[in-house]
Amino acid sequence: MSGTLHKSNMRSNGEDLRTALQPLLKLLSLTVIGLLLANPKMQLIPKATFKLLSKLVFALFLPCLIFSELGESITLKKFVEWWFIPVNVLVSTALGCILGYIVVAICRPPPRFNRFTIIMTGFGNTGNLLLAIVGSVCHNTENSLFGKECNTSGVAYVSWSQWVSVILVYTFVYHMMEPPMEYYEIVEDEAEINEEGPLNDISRPLLVEAEWPGIEDNETEHSKTPFIARIFKSISGMSSSSIPDFDITAESSGSSTMSLRCLAEPRVVRKIRIVAEQTPIQQILQPPTIASLLAIIIGTVPQLKTFFFGNDAPMSFMTDSLAILAGAMVPSVMLILGGMLAEGPNESTLGIKTTIGIIVARLVVLPLLGIGIVVLADKLNFLVENDAMFRFVLLLQYTTPSAILLGAIASLRGYAVSEASAILFWQHVLALFSLSVYIVIYFRIIV
């Protein structure tokens, strides 16, 4: 009897292991295909094709997936019940930044990379990669642990978390990734030389445009300068002569001296306003974000939802068409990732010790902390009851490598571009192993 039970347990453990690893093996196969197609020696598919594919993902496949799945899944009640998903993104980012600060203290990278180290440790990929994992877990899985609504609920949860990440990247990360003031003057001449011969769309690394196509169109006069440091330099008692002139006098040239004296805003408030005006907050309204907003509006209004979603809905033909296009998202994202890895890592001056520190903190330590946070939140009844996919997505938010979008921000700011490329390359390679281990652990926890 005990021998039979032991064999049953062994078989169950083997099945659990296979169930947990199979989704990653699917994604790995797609990534390897992309790597082979983009291999410079084979040259089966040119880099320009991968860049066009990334634009299709960004502007078409991803918005279609978000709208079709989030719109069908969300309701006004669920809108309230899912409150912990964006909170979890903030918690995971805060813990990651704390770990990044610890990496700085222990590994002591070159001082100009202190902020870079914190950002690369703190901000994970909560978008395309999570959607790919969910899509792979839910693809052709009968008797799935996550139920019949596996893909719909998984995509909805991931999409619901994306808007928080997007806001953080285009505000906090954008300014944290500006070139350090104390090193700006040293590299300024070199930067000016590089700007004389700008990279064209083909020569720009795929990493830069993998999740933000057309990034070069968003460069501004101050995007590659230590903007905040120059603006707030005089607060510390230093001379403000180096603060750039933002030509605000022209706006008030028609006002009298008395009105200027009466209406003049405080100096600190003025500087905060200038920084806010230079923050690319408008970039938040990208196709995926717009699709999320539309899905939330339509999904939470019953009259609109019955018009778009359901077998008898008048606009069901449109949502079905969008769902067909959405099916191309997961394979396209993994092919692009393979093309990015085929380019290999750039040279980095960050140092091996710091590179290893970031990878260990992001891929090994943070997921362990995430397990504790999610288990605690479950005990406090913060989570949706008896929803395995809800918990799986929360755990995955602590497990992914750094966001590929950080490479685009680094390029836009002209700060640690090659270092970002190297870190992202090694993280995504090693994440194949760390994700395998933690997904097995997550399946055991969820069961």
Side-chain angles (χ1 to χ4, degrees):
M1 180 72 177
S2 60
T4 304
L5 181 61
H6 178 70
K7 290 180 181 179
S8 176
N9 289 336
M10 290 290 291
R11 184 167 57 252
S12 177
N13 291 339
E15 290 176 357
D16 289 344
L17 183 63
R18 181 180 61 83
T19 302
L21 291 180
Q22 195 172 31
L24 274 179
L25 293 176
K26 297 176 187 177
L27 297 181
L28 179 61
S29 300
L30 292 172
T31 305
V32 170
I33 293 173
L35 194 150
L36 292 175
L37 291 175
N39 191 295
K41 295 182 179 179
M42 301 178 68
Q43 293 184 344
L44 295 176
I45 301 293
K47 183 188 293 187
T49 302
F50 282 92
K51 289 184 179 291
L52 290 174
L53 183 59
S54 69
K55 291 181 179 179
L56 277 174
V57 169
F58 182 76
L60 182 61
F61 300 153
L62 180 56
C64 288
L65 178 67
I66 291 174
F67 180 83
S68 58
E69 301 293 356
L70 179 59
E72 183 177 0
S73 179
I74 196 169
T75 61
L76 191 58
K77 181 181 178 182
K78 291 180 178 179
F79 185 90
V80 177
E81 289 180 344
W82 296 353
W83 68 270
F84 191 74
I85 292 179
V87 170
N88 193 61
V89 174
L90 295 175
V91 172
S92 64
T93 302
L95 288 176
C97 289
I98 293 172
L99 288 176
Y101 185 82
I102 295 173
V103 171
V104 170
I106 295 175
C107 301
R108 298 188 180 278
R112 64 184 181 277
F113 295 132
N114 285 347
R115 284 189 279 109
F116 170 80
T117 301
I118 294 172
I119 290 298
M120 293 301 292
T121 310
F123 287 81
N125 191 326
T126 58
N128 292 358
L129 185 57
L130 276 185
L131 289 171
I133 294 174
V134 168
S136 181
V137 167
C138 299
H139 181 68
N140 291 337
T141 52
E142 296 180 1
N143 300 321
S144 171
L145 169 67
F146 302 107
K148 295 180 179 180
E149 300 298 322
C150 176
N151 192 68
T152 299
S153 58
V155 172
Y157 297 151
V158 175
S159 304
W160 185 237
S161 68
Q162 273 191 299
W163 64 269
V164 182
S165 303
V166 169
I167 291 175
L168 288 173
V169 167
Y170 290 119
T171 53
F172 179 72
V173 173
Y174 177 82
H175 289 303
M176 282 287 284
M177 291 285 279
E178 73 174 20
M181 182 70 178
E182 57 270 28
Y183 299 96
Y184 175 68
E185 297 298 332
I186 300 176
V187 301
E188 190 169 16
D189 294 338
E190 181 182 350
E192 289 176 358
I193 293 173
N194 291 338
E195 287 176 4
E196 291 177 1
L199 293 172
N200 57 38
D201 186 63
I202 302 301
S203 62
R204 189 181 294 270
L206 180 60
L207 165 72
V208 172
E209 296 198 9
E211 289 192 2
W212 193 0
I215 183 176
E216 69 279 359
D217 298 332
N218 297 282
E219 292 184 4
T220 65
E221 179 185 356
H222 304 292
S223 62
K224 285 184 166 61
T225 64
F227 183 73
I228 291 182
R230 294 169 70 181
I231 289 295
F232 286 90
K233 188 176 180 182
S234 60
I235 292 181
S236 61
M238 301 176 69
S239 172
S240 60
S241 58
S242 61
I243 296 177
D245 181 15
F246 295 96
D247 196 25
I248 63 171
T249 56
E251 299 175 3
S252 56
S253 58
S255 303
S256 64
T257 306
M258 182 64 69
S259 63
L260 281 174
R261 191 177 294 117
C262 293
L263 300 176
E265 57 189 343
R267 189 167 184 166
V268 174
V269 174
R270 171 179 174 271
K271 292 178 179 181
I272 292 175
R273 178 178 59 80
I274 293 173
V275 170
E277 290 173 352
Q278 293 296 320
T279 301
I281 195 72
Q282 70 278 5
Q283 297 302 324
I284 292 175
L285 292 178
Q286 301 283 4
T289 315
I290 295 172
S292 298
L293 292 173
L294 289 175
I296 292 170
I297 293 171
I298 292 174
T300 53
V301 179
Q303 294 81 359
L304 289 175
K305 188 168 187 175
T306 55
F307 189 74
F308 283 91
F309 296 99
N311 295 330
D312 299 328
M315 297 296 291
S316 61
F317 69 91
M318 188 193 76
T319 52
D320 288 345
S321 300
L322 296 180
I324 294 172
L325 289 171
M329 207 287 293
V330 171
S332 298
V333 164
M334 301 317 296
L335 290 175
I336 293 168
L337 178 59
M340 186 191 84
L341 296 179
E343 294 181 342
N346 287 344
E347 294 183 4
S348 173
T349 59
L350 187 61
I352 296 177
K353 188 177 179 181
T354 305
T355 301
I356 294 175
I358 294 174
I359 293 173
V360 170
R362 179 76 226 173
L363 300 182
V364 179
V365 180
L366 187 60
L368 292 175
L369 297 177
I371 292 174
I373 294 294
V374 174
V375 170
L376 178 61
D378 197 10
K379 290 183 177 180
L380 295 174
N381 296 320
F382 290 165
L383 311 184
V384 177
E385 188 176 358
N386 297 324
D387 192 331
M389 179 56 73
F390 191 90
R391 288 153 179 77
F392 185 63
V393 169
L394 293 178
L395 290 167
L396 283 179
Q397 289 175 347
Y398 293 89
T399 319
T400 56
S402 299
I404 296 176
L405 187 57
L406 298 181
I409 297 293
S411 177
L412 183 65
R413 301 312 309 262
Y415 172 52
V417 180
S418 59
E419 285 73 20
S421 174
I423 285 289
L424 290 171
F425 175 85
W426 291 116
Q427 278 201 28
H428 280 79
V429 169
L430 297 174
L432 296 172
F433 302 98
S434 64
L435 276 169
S436 301
V437 173
Y438 278 109
I439 285 182
V440 172
I441 295 173
Y442 295 160
F443 271 51
R444 293 294 181 89
I445 293 174
I446 292 171
V447 172

Short mmCIF file of all heavy atoms in Angstrom, two decimals, residues 140-163:
data_model
loop_
_atom_site.label_atom_id
_atom_site.label_comp_id
_atom_site.label_asym_id
_atom_site.label_seq_id
_atom_site.Cartn_x
_atom_site.Cartn_y
_atom_site.Cartn_z
N ASN A 140 -3.64 25.62 -24.81
CA ASN A 140 -3.97 24.21 -24.96
C ASN A 140 -3.75 23.40 -23.68
O ASN A 140 -3.13 22.34 -23.69
CB ASN A 140 -3.15 23.60 -26.12
CG ASN A 140 -3.59 24.13 -27.46
OD1 ASN A 140 -4.70 24.60 -27.62
ND2 ASN A 140 -2.69 24.06 -28.44
N THR A 141 -4.22 23.93 -22.57
CA THR A 141 -4.06 23.22 -21.29
C THR A 141 -5.43 22.74 -20.82
O THR A 141 -6.26 23.51 -20.37
CB THR A 141 -3.45 24.13 -20.22
OG1 THR A 141 -4.21 25.34 -20.16
CG2 THR A 141 -2.01 24.45 -20.54
N GLU A 142 -5.67 21.43 -20.95
CA GLU A 142 -6.92 20.85 -20.47
C GLU A 142 -6.79 20.56 -18.97
O GLU A 142 -5.74 20.18 -18.48
CB GLU A 142 -7.22 19.56 -21.24
CG GLU A 142 -7.45 19.79 -22.72
CD GLU A 142 -7.76 18.49 -23.45
OE1 GLU A 142 -7.81 17.45 -22.76
OE2 GLU A 142 -7.95 18.53 -24.67
N ASN A 143 -7.88 20.72 -18.26
CA ASN A 143 -7.89 20.55 -16.81
C ASN A 143 -6.82 21.41 -16.14
O ASN A 143 -6.09 20.97 -15.25
CB ASN A 143 -7.67 19.07 -16.43
CG ASN A 143 -8.74 18.17 -17.01
OD1 ASN A 143 -9.92 18.55 -17.04
ND2 ASN A 143 -8.34 16.99 -17.47
N SER A 144 -6.70 22.63 -16.62
CA SER A 144 -5.67 23.53 -16.11
C SER A 144 -5.94 23.91 -14.66
O SER A 144 -7.09 24.00 -14.23
CB SER A 144 -5.62 24.80 -16.97
OG SER A 144 -4.78 25.77 -16.38
N LEU A 145 -4.84 24.12 -13.96
CA LEU A 145 -4.94 24.58 -12.58
C LEU A 145 -5.68 25.91 -12.50
O LEU A 145 -6.34 26.21 -11.50
CB LEU A 145 -3.52 24.73 -12.01
CG LEU A 145 -3.35 25.45 -10.67
CD1 LEU A 145 -3.98 24.63 -9.55
CD2 LEU A 145 -1.88 25.70 -10.39
N PHE A 146 -5.62 26.71 -13.59
CA PHE A 146 -6.18 28.05 -13.58
C PHE A 146 -7.59 28.12 -14.17
O PHE A 146 -8.15 29.21 -14.31
CB PHE A 146 -5.25 28.99 -14.35
CG PHE A 146 -3.86 29.03 -13.79
CD1 PHE A 146 -2.81 28.41 -14.46
CD2 PHE A 146 -3.59 29.66 -12.60
CE1 PHE A 146 -1.53 28.44 -13.95
CE2 PHE A 146 -2.31 29.69 -12.06
CZ PHE A 146 -1.27 29.07 -12.75
N GLY A 147 -8.16 27.00 -14.55
CA GLY A 147 -9.55 26.99 -14.99
C GLY A 147 -9.73 27.34 -16.45
O GLY A 147 -8.78 27.62 -17.19
N LYS A 148 -10.99 27.34 -16.89
CA LYS A 148 -11.31 27.59 -18.28
C LYS A 148 -11.02 29.02 -18.71
O LYS A 148 -10.74 29.29 -19.87
CB LYS A 148 -12.79 27.27 -18.54
CG LYS A 148 -13.15 25.80 -18.35
CD LYS A 148 -14.61 25.55 -18.63
CE LYS A 148 -14.97 24.07 -18.46
NZ LYS A 148 -16.41 23.81 -18.73
N GLU A 149 -11.12 29.97 -17.77
CA GLU A 149 -10.89 31.38 -18.08
C GLU A 149 -9.43 31.77 -17.86
O GLU A 149 -9.14 32.92 -17.55
CB GLU A 149 -11.80 32.26 -17.22
CG GLU A 149 -13.28 32.00 -17.40
CD GLU A 149 -13.74 32.30 -18.82
OE1 GLU A 149 -13.22 33.29 -19.40
OE2 GLU A 149 -14.59 31.57 -19.34
N CYS A 150 -8.55 30.83 -18.00
CA CYS A 150 -7.13 31.03 -17.70
C CYS A 150 -6.55 32.23 -18.44
O CYS A 150 -6.05 33.18 -17.83
CB CYS A 150 -6.35 29.77 -18.07
SG CYS A 150 -4.56 29.88 -17.88
N ASN A 151 -6.63 32.23 -19.77
CA ASN A 151 -6.00 33.29 -20.56
C ASN A 151 -6.70 34.63 -20.37
O ASN A 151 -6.03 35.67 -20.22
CB ASN A 151 -6.00 32.91 -22.03
CG ASN A 151 -5.10 33.81 -22.86
OD1 ASN A 151 -3.88 33.80 -22.71
ND2 ASN A 151 -5.71 34.62 -23.73
N THR A 152 -8.02 34.62 -20.36
CA THR A 152 -8.77 35.87 -20.21
C THR A 152 -8.45 36.56 -18.89
O THR A 152 -8.15 37.76 -18.86
CB THR A 152 -10.28 35.60 -20.30
OG1 THR A 152 -10.59 35.02 -21.58
CG2 THR A 152 -11.07 36.89 -20.14
N SER A 153 -8.49 35.81 -17.80
CA SER A 153 -8.22 36.42 -16.50
C SER A 153 -6.75 36.80 -16.36
O SER A 153 -6.42 37.86 -15.81
CB SER A 153 -8.62 35.46 -15.37
OG SER A 153 -7.93 34.22 -15.48
N GLY A 154 -5.85 35.96 -16.87
CA GLY A 154 -4.43 36.26 -16.77
C GLY A 154 -4.05 37.53 -17.51
O GLY A 154 -3.33 38.40 -16.97
N VAL A 155 -4.51 37.66 -18.74
CA VAL A 155 -4.24 38.87 -19.53
C VAL A 155 -4.86 40.09 -18.87
O VAL A 155 -4.27 41.18 -18.83
CB VAL A 155 -4.75 38.71 -20.98
CG1 VAL A 155 -4.66 40.02 -21.73
CG2 VAL A 155 -3.95 37.64 -21.70
N ALA A 156 -6.06 39.93 -18.31
CA ALA A 156 -6.73 41.04 -17.64
C ALA A 156 -5.92 41.52 -16.45
O ALA A 156 -5.73 42.73 -16.24
CB ALA A 156 -8.13 40.63 -17.20
N TYR A 157 -5.41 40.60 -15.65
CA TYR A 157 -4.63 40.98 -14.47
C TYR A 157 -3.34 41.69 -14.86
O TYR A 157 -2.96 42.69 -14.26
CB TYR A 157 -4.31 39.74 -13.62
CG TYR A 157 -5.52 39.05 -13.05
CD1 TYR A 157 -5.51 37.67 -12.79
CD2 TYR A 157 -6.68 39.75 -12.75
CE1 TYR A 157 -6.62 37.03 -12.26
CE2 TYR A 157 -7.80 39.12 -12.22
CZ TYR A 157 -7.76 37.76 -11.99
OH TYR A 157 -8.87 37.13 -11.47
N VAL A 158 -2.67 41.14 -15.87
CA VAL A 158 -1.41 41.77 -16.32
C VAL A 158 -1.68 43.15 -16.89
O VAL A 158 -0.96 44.12 -16.60
CB VAL A 158 -0.70 40.88 -17.35
CG1 VAL A 158 0.54 41.60 -17.91
CG2 VAL A 158 -0.29 39.55 -16.74
N SER A 159 -2.71 43.27 -17.70
CA SER A 159 -3.06 44.57 -18.30
C SER A 159 -3.43 45.59 -17.24
O SER A 159 -3.11 46.77 -17.35
CB SER A 159 -4.22 44.40 -19.28
OG SER A 159 -3.92 43.44 -20.28
N TRP A 160 -4.10 45.12 -16.19
CA TRP A 160 -4.52 46.01 -15.11
C TRP A 160 -3.31 46.57 -14.37
O TRP A 160 -3.37 47.66 -13.80
CB TRP A 160 -5.43 45.25 -14.17
CG TRP A 160 -6.04 46.03 -13.06
CD1 TRP A 160 -5.95 45.79 -11.73
CD2 TRP A 160 -6.87 47.20 -13.18
NE1 TRP A 160 -6.67 46.72 -11.01
CE2 TRP A 160 -7.24 47.60 -11.88
CE3 TRP A 160 -7.33 47.95 -14.25
CZ2 TRP A 160 -8.03 48.71 -11.62
CZ3 TRP A 160 -8.12 49.05 -14.01
CH2 TRP A 160 -8.47 49.42 -12.71
N SER A 161 -2.21 45.83 -14.36
CA SER A 161 -1.01 46.29 -13.65
C SER A 161 -0.12 47.18 -14.50
O SER A 161 0.71 47.92 -13.97
CB SER A 161 -0.19 45.08 -13.17
OG SER A 161 0.38 44.39 -14.27
N GLN A 162 -0.31 47.14 -15.81
CA GLN A 162 0.61 47.83 -16.71
C GLN A 162 0.58 49.34 -16.56
O GLN A 162 1.61 50.00 -16.67
CB GLN A 162 0.32 47.45 -18.17
CG GLN A 162 1.05 46.20 -18.63
CD GLN A 162 0.95 46.01 -20.13
OE1 GLN A 162 -0.13 45.88 -20.69
NE2 GLN A 162 2.09 45.99 -20.79
N TRP A 163 -0.58 49.92 -16.31
CA TRP A 163 -0.67 51.38 -16.29
C TRP A 163 0.16 51.98 -15.17
O TRP A 163 0.72 53.07 -15.32
CB TRP A 163 -2.14 51.82 -16.18
CG TRP A 163 -2.84 51.42 -14.92
CD1 TRP A 163 -3.55 50.28 -14.72
CD2 TRP A 163 -2.92 52.17 -13.70
NE1 TRP A 163 -4.07 50.26 -13.44
CE2 TRP A 163 -3.70 51.41 -12.78
CE3 TRP A 163 -2.44 53.40 -13.28
CZ2 TRP A 163 -3.98 51.83 -11.50
CZ3 TRP A 163 -2.73 53.82 -11.99
CH2 TRP A 163 -3.47 53.05 -11.13
#
